[in-house]
């Protein structure tokens, strides 16, 4: 992948040089150096768009989620459900992608494998993620086998998987993994992933006696452990709770892919006191069987007695629950991703009890815009209980993958994504909405900067200074992330070339023509690396020669010109200072 990207970038350099030589059409432009003072991101409220048939009452305490702007993405893989272990680290499975050069493929049938990862650090923006290797386990009689229920308790790692299938009808191409299979059981590690005891069951003989074959549907689909904090410290009774999603017996209008990895009708629950002896013993589990006449939960050892914790026909899907200790509340994240390859909707609910009733905080239509596997890691809940980090992956299917313009909110991509958010009440929501209209945001963090939603290509990227990805589409994202750090503490907020000086370039692309009249260019804050001249090239062949950029992050080069339309623009470095070894940009902002 890396070799191919360098070859492609080399071809692009040649094309750009030819373009400059053959098609120079200099624009009249004004240039000046202006001071820049960074400002925090303006909080952005995601206004709920709640479907009319939503059966859940609204929360009395919260009305929406505000995104605070801080975000980060790690790896090129999805299916992250971190568990906070007693050693202070988090551990998670991962699937269908890479951590560095180690790759997992969970759709391999008999050769399906899943990854194991260790997550170190307390600051979500600066985590260290290491692969602990892959484990192979056959997906047969299904086609895929993916991570789900993940728990590290008293130093023992319990790792669950589930099976999935494509719809057998070859004409149903608009569905992704339309059939959800069962949880076969758990593999176990007593040394934090160094060695494993294999799962004693298979997908055709699973721990929970369910099947997605022959028109059947599962109820404990893609189950996940409720996050009770570090080492289950906040479990009310010593149990580990599992929450899954599945079909409903009373569905009057069954549809294709209704019980898939990401869609369903209802949420179900089970619990177990975890140990190596109980985790794979069906007799050790209790299943939620409804409430008694006083509203108290009833539990049964018979899975046939299982009843929904909550139900919303054709609107439920992958579900995770986290206990918010400061608020003494349970927060439930649900993604309704039907049909599986289009935009997805996610919503968050709250309850005083793990079994509910749950009340709706927000419904985020088109979150991601194809966001999924949403959860709230308890390790990253702030002391106020209202501020935390959403964990999710996004934009995996062909029409979304690698396309930054699809990111909603900014920073969403195929990876492990973390977004800092805050729950707000109605009064706070209205105040923030007013501030969004009347406030004065940092220009490079505002919607007016269309660079934030551009696809980026760079001539090269220094490995130590690029995002945690092997996908060249993201190598230059540090130059369009809305962040300029004058002290250059974090090179991930820059584009740093790999040993290039002149002829290095960065190109921004949009799918539709954009109106452009102003560009800000920030040189890298590293005083040893300075661009002394460059050229802007636009998709219509016009060019602007650019003089030396200010050699620090407190001043930007502003280039203004008569409004023009372009589907792409490139900045090509023509000359640099004598001390330059890795030319690049701290940021390129493009304004209408």
């Amino acid at each position: 992948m890396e070799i191919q990207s360098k070859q492609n970038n080399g071809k692009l350099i040649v094309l750009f040089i030819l373009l400059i030589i053959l098609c120079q059409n200099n624009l009249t432009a004004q240039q000046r150096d202006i001071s820049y003072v960074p400002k925090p991101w303006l909080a952005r409220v995601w206004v709920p768009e709640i479907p009319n048939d939503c059966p859940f009452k609204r929360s009395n305490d919260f009305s929406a989620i505000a995104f605070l702007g801080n975000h980060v993405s790690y790896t090129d893989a999805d299916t992250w459900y971190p568990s906070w272990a007693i050693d202070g680290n988090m551990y998670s499975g991962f699937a269908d992608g890479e951590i560095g050069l180690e790759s997992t493929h969970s759709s391999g049938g008999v050769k399906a494998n899943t990854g194991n990862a260790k997550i170190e650090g307390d600051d979500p923006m600066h985590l260290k993620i290491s692969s602990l290797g892959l484990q192979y386990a056959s997906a047969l009689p299904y086609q895929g086998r993916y991570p789900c229920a993940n728990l590290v308790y008293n130093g023992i790692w319990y790792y669950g998987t589930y099976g999935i299938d494509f719809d057998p009808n070859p004409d149903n191409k608009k569905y992704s993994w339309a059939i959800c299979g069962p949880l076969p059981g758990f593999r176990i590690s007593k040394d934090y992933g160094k060695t494993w005891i294999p799962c004693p069951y298979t997908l055709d003989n699973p721990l929970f006696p369910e099947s997605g074959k022959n028109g059947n549907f599962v109820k404990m689909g893609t189950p996940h452990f409720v996050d009770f904090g570090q080492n289950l410290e906040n479990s009310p009774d010593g149990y580990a709770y599992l929450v899954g999603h599945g079909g409903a017996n009373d569905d009057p209008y069954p549809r294709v892919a209704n019980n898939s990895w990401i869609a369903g009708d209802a949420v179900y629950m089970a619990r177990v006191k975890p140990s190596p002896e109980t985790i794979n013993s069906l007799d050790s589990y209790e299943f939620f069987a409804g409430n008694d006449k006083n509203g108290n939960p009833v539990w049964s050892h018979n899975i046939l007695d299982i009843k929904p914790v909550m139900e919303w026909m054709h609107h439920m899907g992958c579900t995770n629950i986290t206990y918010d200790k400061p608020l003494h509340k349970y927060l439930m994240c649900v993604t309704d991703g039907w049909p599986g390859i289009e935009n997805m909707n996610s919503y968050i609910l709250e309850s005083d009890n793990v079994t509910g009733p749950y009340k709706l905080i927000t419904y985020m239509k088109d979150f991601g815009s194809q966001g999924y596997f949403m959860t709230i890691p308890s390790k990253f809940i702030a002391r106020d209980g209202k501020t935390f980090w959403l964990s999710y992956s996004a934009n995996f299917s062909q029409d979304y993958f690698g396309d930054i313009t699809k990111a909603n909110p900014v920073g969403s991509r195929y990876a492990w994504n973390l977004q800092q958010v805050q729950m707000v009440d109605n009064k706070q929501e209205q105040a923030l909405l007013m501030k969004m209209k009347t406030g004065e945001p940092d220009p490079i963090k505002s919607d007016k900067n269309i660079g934030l939603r551009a696809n980026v290509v760079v001539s090269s990227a220094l490995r130590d200074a690029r995002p945690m990805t092997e996908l060249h589409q993201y190598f230059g994202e540090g130059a369009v992330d809305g962040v300029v750090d004058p002290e250059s503490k974090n090179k991930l907020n820059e584009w740093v070339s790999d040993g290039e000086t002149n002829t290095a370039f960065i190109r921004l692309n949009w799918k539709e023509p954009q109106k452009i009249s102003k560009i800000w260019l920030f040189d890298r804050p590293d005083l040893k690396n300075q661009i002394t001249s460059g050229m802007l090239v636009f998709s219509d062949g016009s060019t602007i020669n650019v003089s030396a950029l200010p050699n620090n992050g407190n001043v930007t080069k502003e280039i203004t010109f008569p409004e023009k339309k372009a589907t792409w623009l490139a900045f090509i470095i023509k000359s640099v200072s004598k001390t330059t070894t890795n030319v690049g940009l701290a940021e390129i902002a493009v304004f209408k």
Side-chain angles (χ1 to χ4, degrees):
M1 183 183 297
E2 189 172 1
I3 293 174
Q4 183 64 44
S5 68
K6 287 184 177 180
Q7 291 174 342
N8 291 339
N9 288 338
K11 293 177 182 178
L12 284 170
I13 292 172
V14 173
L15 289 174
F16 279 137
I17 293 173
L18 288 174
L19 178 65
I20 295 167
I21 294 173
L22 298 175
C23 304
Q24 280 202 47
N25 178 18
N26 292 331
L27 281 176
T28 301
Q30 288 74 46
Q31 301 183 33
R32 62 172 182 160
D33 297 345
I34 61 173
S35 297
Y36 169 75
V37 179
K39 296 180 182 179
W41 294 88
L42 277 184
R44 302 178 64 85
V45 173
W46 193 297
V47 179
E49 298 179 62
I50 305 172
N52 293 331
D53 64 341
C54 178
F56 310 124
K57 294 180 179 179
R58 294 299 306 273
S59 169
N60 297 324
D61 300 314
F62 306 106
S63 62
I65 296 289
F67 286 76
L68 304 185
N70 297 314
H71 60 269
V72 66
S73 298
Y74 296 101
T75 79
D76 300 318
D78 66 4
T79 325
W80 294 87
Y81 303 112
S83 179
W84 189 5
I86 197 170
D87 67 353
N89 300 312
M90 296 192 297
Y91 296 84
S92 178
F94 68 95
D96 282 359
E98 295 81 30
I99 294 182
L101 299 178
E102 185 156 44
S103 180
T104 175
H105 302 280
S106 299
S107 58
V110 69
K111 296 182 179 180
N113 59 68
T114 50
N116 318 311
K118 179 180 180 180
I119 304 166
E120 300 174 82
D122 299 321
D123 180 357
M125 295 290 291
H126 300 95
L127 299 174
K128 178 184 177 182
I129 302 177
S130 306
S131 174
L132 301 178
L134 311 179
Q135 295 294 311
Y136 287 80
S138 174
L140 299 180
Y142 298 83
Q143 298 176 65
R145 185 166 178 169
Y146 283 77
C148 56
N150 181 64
L151 174 67
V152 185
Y153 177 59
N154 288 342
I156 300 176
W157 191 348
Y158 305 100
Y159 191 129
T161 56
Y162 67 100
I164 49 177
D165 250 343
F166 290 108
D167 186 82
N169 185 346
D171 295 329
N172 289 336
K173 296 181 180 179
K174 69 175 184 177
Y175 307 102
S176 166
W177 294 118
I179 296 171
C180 185
L183 165 83
F186 295 86
R187 65 175 184 251
I188 300 171
S189 175
K190 297 181 180 181
D191 51 15
Y192 292 108
K194 293 179 182 178
T195 60
W196 290 91
I197 302 170
C199 173
Y201 298 101
T202 62
L203 280 164
D204 55 1
N205 180 32
L207 170 64
F208 294 163
E210 300 185 296
S211 174
K213 292 288 189 178
N214 303 316
N216 297 306
F217 59 84
V218 300
K219 295 184 177 179
M220 287 297 294
T222 68
H224 305 115
F225 283 107
V226 174
D227 185 345
F228 283 114
Q230 186 176 17
N231 204 45
L232 285 182
E233 65 177 344
N234 298 308
S235 172
D237 45 26
Y239 281 95
Y241 284 70
L242 281 166
V243 58
H245 77 275
N249 294 329
D250 55 350
D251 186 349
Y253 305 107
R255 59 181 181 170
V256 176
N258 188 56
N259 188 195
S260 73
W261 63 283
I262 201 65
D265 295 320
V267 168
Y268 300 88
M269 191 172 286
R271 66 182 187 179
V272 65
K273 291 193 174 180
S275 72
E277 294 73 34
T278 61
I279 201 72
N280 285 309
S281 169
L282 181 61
D283 292 340
S284 299
Y285 284 83
E286 296 179 351
F287 300 91
F288 178 78
N291 294 303
D292 63 20
K293 62 181 181 180
N294 296 318
N296 298 313
V298 176
W299 297 91
S300 171
H301 284 285
N302 189 346
I303 192 173
L304 297 178
D305 294 332
I306 197 168
K307 288 183 171 57
V309 171
M310 53 197 303
E311 189 172 358
W312 186 7
M313 207 69 68
H314 295 184
H315 282 285
M316 304 213 75
C318 183
T319 303
N320 285 278
I321 298 175
T322 298
Y323 181 67
D324 187 328
K325 184 177 180 179
L327 298 182
H328 305 291
K329 285 186 177 293
Y330 293 90
L331 302 179
M332 176 186 285
C333 299
V334 182
T335 296
D336 169 18
W338 189 88
I341 60 172
E342 299 176 2
N343 284 9
M344 297 182 176
N345 308 315
S346 291
Y347 51 101
I348 300 176
L349 309 98
E350 55 91 357
S351 175
D352 295 331
N353 302 292
V354 67
T355 56
Y358 282 86
K359 295 182 178 180
L360 186 69
I361 295 174
T362 188
Y363 185 96
M364 297 182 288
K365 187 176 184 295
D366 300 332
F367 176 81
S369 51
Q370 192 186 64
Y372 57 98
F373 298 157
M374 179 185 287
T375 187
I376 301 168
S378 60
K379 187 175 184 179
F380 300 145
I381 297 176
R383 291 182 179 180
D384 65 2
K386 302 175 185 179
T387 308
F388 49 81
W389 292 74
L390 281 182
S391 161
Y392 65 101
S393 295
N395 303 339
F396 75 93
S397 63
Q398 183 176 356
D399 292 338
Y400 296 74
F401 187 84
D403 187 352
I404 295 176
T405 66
K406 297 280 191 180
N408 185 26
V410 170
S412 303
R413 68 173 176 89
Y414 187 77
W416 181 35
N417 303 306
L418 293 169
Q419 291 269 355
Q420 190 181 34
V421 302
Q422 186 176 74
M423 298 187 294
V424 295
D425 59 27
N426 186 259
K427 183 177 180 180
Q428 293 168 324
E429 177 186 357
Q430 297 307 313
L432 287 174
L433 287 172
M434 180 59 67
K435 192 172 183 180
M436 287 169 60
K437 292 180 180 179
T438 61
E440 295 184 6
D442 186 324
I444 69 172
K445 295 180 174 71
S446 72
D447 289 339
K448 294 180 180 179
N449 176 16
I450 60 174
L452 292 173
R453 296 193 176 276
N455 289 309
V456 183
V457 176
V458 293
S459 51
S460 68
L462 186 67
R463 174 170 285 277
D464 292 342
R466 76 188 193 202
M468 190 177 182
T469 178
E470 298 299 319
L471 301 176
H472 66 84
Q473 295 98 318
Y474 303 112
F475 285 0
E477 70 177 7
V480 291
D481 62 357
V483 178
V484 173
D485 177 10
E487 298 181 7
S488 193
K489 293 179 180 177
N490 185 4
K491 289 183 173 56
L492 295 180
N493 295 127
E494 307 173 24
W495 161 51
V496 183
S497 70
D498 188 5
E500 288 190 277
T501 52
N502 56 348
T503 75
F505 77 89
I506 181 170
R507 171 172 157 162
L508 278 58
N509 308 277
W510 298 272
K511 287 192 172 182
E512 302 294 334
Q514 303 292 317
K515 294 180 180 179
I516 304 172
S517 62
K518 182 171 67 176
I519 295 172
W520 284 5
L521 294 171
F522 292 84
D523 206 347
R524 292 188 56 209
D526 180 356
L527 298 180
K528 294 181 180 179
N529 291 275
Q530 184 186 13
I531 297 170
T532 55
S533 69
M535 177 179 285
L536 286 165
V537 183
F538 298 89
S539 56
D540 62 359
S542 58
T543 61
I544 299 174
N545 286 308
V546 178
S547 58
L549 303 191
N551 196 20
N552 62 72
N554 296 312
V555 183
T556 182
K557 173 72 70 177
E558 180 183 79
I559 303 102
T560 56
F561 44 88
E563 184 179 277
K564 65 190 287 73
K565 286 186 177 181
T567 55
W568 60 261
L569 68 84
F571 180 59
I572 302 171
I573 289 85
K574 295 172 64 178
S575 64
V576 298
S577 65
K578 292 181 179 180
T579 57
T580 295
T581 55
N582 299 95
V583 75
L585 290 175
E587 195 78 10
I588 175 170
V590 183
F591 302 98
K592 299 178 180 180

